[in-house]
Structure formats: structure tokens, C-alpha cells
Amino acid sequence: MKGGIYSILKAKFLINDDAAKNWQFIIFLIVLALIMIANSHNYEQKTYRITELDKEVKEFRSEFVDRRSELMKLKMESTISEKMEVKGIFPSSVPPKKIKVLKEKEKGFFEKLWQ
């Protein structure tokens, strides 16, 4: 056991006759470690980006709600009438009447009924 650990510490496995196989394996492990580091780095970047986008979505959603409530307030009849009073336009006291326009065929039909 001592001989095995001692040879590993002295790195004899890198200078032996079959050292080429060991070097290939070590290079493979290094490339694999680099790929894993790059993958975890990309994962963390995407996680941070997702967090930023979630915050941005929440901000936009709250802004949307604020704007929508502001719009609802502006569309109210009382708000519109207040703004029109400044310009001298007041709401009508007489309700509007609906005017129905008939097509030519309908006009002829109704005229025949009344005669």
C-alpha cells in the first residue's frame, strides 16, 4: 500500500512505459471538467436572467394595473363632464333619441303597410 501511494505522489504513472494512456485519460478528464464548468456558468447566467425578467414582469404588471385604473377613472362620466365644463360644454338635460335608418326595401314594405 505504501509503495502505491508513494508512486502516485512521485507521479511515476506519468513517466512509465504506458504513460501515453494515462496522459490521454488525464486530458480527457480536464476537458470534461472544463465542459462542466462552462455548463454550470451558462446555467447560472440563465438563472440570473430569468430572475431579472421576473422582476421586470412584476414591475410591468403593476404599471399596467395603475394605468388601467387611471384610464377607468378618466372614462367616468363625472370626470369627462368636469373637464368639459371648463370648456363651456355641459351635459344635456334631454336624453338622446335613437334614429333608425331603414333600407330601401324596408321603406317600400312599411309604406305598403301604412296605405
Side-chain angles (χ1 to χ4, degrees):
M1 184 76 174
K2 282 188 176 183
I5 294 175
Y6 185 67
S7 66
I8 290 175
L9 291 176
K10 283 194 140 193
K12 287 186 179 181
F13 65 93
L14 297 175
I15 54 175
N16 284 346
D17 295 335
D18 58 347
K21 290 181 185 178
N22 294 336
W23 277 107
Q24 288 175 355
F25 185 69
I26 290 172
I27 290 172
F28 172 73
L29 289 179
I30 290 171
V31 169
L32 193 61
L34 290 174
I35 291 171
M36 288 178 62
I37 290 169
N39 190 25
S40 65
H41 182 68
N42 284 339
Y43 172 76
E44 287 178 9
Q45 279 184 334
K46 288 179 183 179
T47 305
Y48 290 139
R49 180 73 177 141
I50 289 171
T51 305
E52 290 173 4
L53 290 174
D54 283 340
K55 288 179 184 177
E56 194 173 333
V57 164
K58 288 178 183 177
E59 289 176 12
F60 284 140
R61 187 170 289 138
S62 66
E63 184 178 344
F64 166 73
V65 170
D66 291 342
R67 301 286 177 158
R68 184 174 58 185
S69 64
E70 185 179 327
L71 177 65
M72 294 301 287
K73 183 180 176 186
L74 290 173
K75 287 171 56 176
M76 291 175 60
E77 184 179 353
S78 60
T79 308
I80 293 171
S81 63
E82 286 175 6
K83 290 188 177 192
M84 288 293 136
E85 284 177 6
V86 174
K87 296 181 179 182
I89 301 173
F90 299 98
S92 175
S93 58
V94 180
K97 294 182 181 180
K98 190 173 186 178
I99 300 173
K100 186 174 181 182
V101 178
L102 300 175
K103 296 180 184 175
E104 290 296 323
K105 290 180 182 178
E106 292 175 353
K107 283 183 184 178
F109 175 75
F110 285 115
E111 287 175 3
K112 288 179 183 177
L113 284 177
W114 290 107
Q115 291 178 358

